[in-house]
Amino acid sequence: MNLSVHLFRVRAATFVVTVAGDLDLYTAPLLSPSLIPPPGPGPCHIVLAASRLSFCDVAGLRLLTSAHRTLSETGGGLAIAGASASMRRLTPLVAGSPSDAPVHFAGVTEALRACAEPGGEDFAGPPPASRHLPSFRGLGAGRAVPAGLRARRHRT
């Protein structure tokens, strides 16, 4: 149950937060500080890059909808990029209504274009791609895999 969080500033009030791992009741406090808008006037936009998020429970979705409501009060918002199909289906249910839910996008580039302010700085490209996860070659069906290395599978 690990969660890694990386924050990138794209423009003065636009941030990309990349997450990898599990977002649940125990790891949500690690993400929470990255979703707080910085002090200052004007709207703040945060794009959550969720393509490497392997699990998100209701506590994680509540954190995301709460952050979206907070950012929306000043004209900004939270956009989720690359979320799983189950996360896209559950987000409006947890938010209570589709209008209160963060908007989902296929990728970070589309999300940043959608939240670009007129006359703002041009988007220079997505944040640097993270390195690939190690693969375990030679671990066939006949070999025993240590419990800590087994991949959890979630139905989507």
Side-chain angles (χ1 to χ4, degrees):
M1 295 180 30
N2 292 327
L3 181 72
S4 67
V5 179
H6 298 280
L7 179 69
F8 301 96
R9 179 176 283 215
V10 179
R11 292 185 210 98
T14 304
F15 300 90
V16 174
V17 178
T18 60
V19 290
D22 297 341
L23 178 58
D24 57 16
L25 178 65
Y26 301 107
T27 59
L30 297 172
L31 177 60
S32 184
S34 299
L35 301 178
I36 297 172
C44 177
H45 298 281
I46 297 176
V47 176
L48 182 79
S51 62
R52 294 185 57 212
L53 195 62
S54 57
F55 176 76
C56 183
D57 71 356
V58 174
L61 291 173
R62 284 186 182 147
L63 171 67
L64 298 177
T65 56
S66 173
H68 177 67
R69 284 187 193 117
T70 302
L71 293 166
S72 297
E73 290 173 357
T74 60
L78 176 71
I80 302 174
S84 66
S86 61
M87 189 173 174
R88 288 191 307 269
R89 283 192 311 267
L90 290 174
T91 304
L93 297 173
V94 172
S97 71
S99 62
D100 288 338
V103 180
H104 287 272
F105 292 92
V108 174
T109 304
E110 294 87 6
L112 286 170
R113 286 187 184 138
C115 69
E117 301 158 352
E121 300 173 22
D122 291 332
F123 172 58
S130 57
R131 295 174 27 189
H132 70 283
L133 295 173
S135 61
F136 298 101
R137 296 183 186 145
L139 292 178
R143 294 194 176 142
V145 178
L149 298 178
R150 288 191 189 119
R152 293 191 325 189
R153 294 182 187 236
H154 300 283
R155 295 179 68 183
T156 55

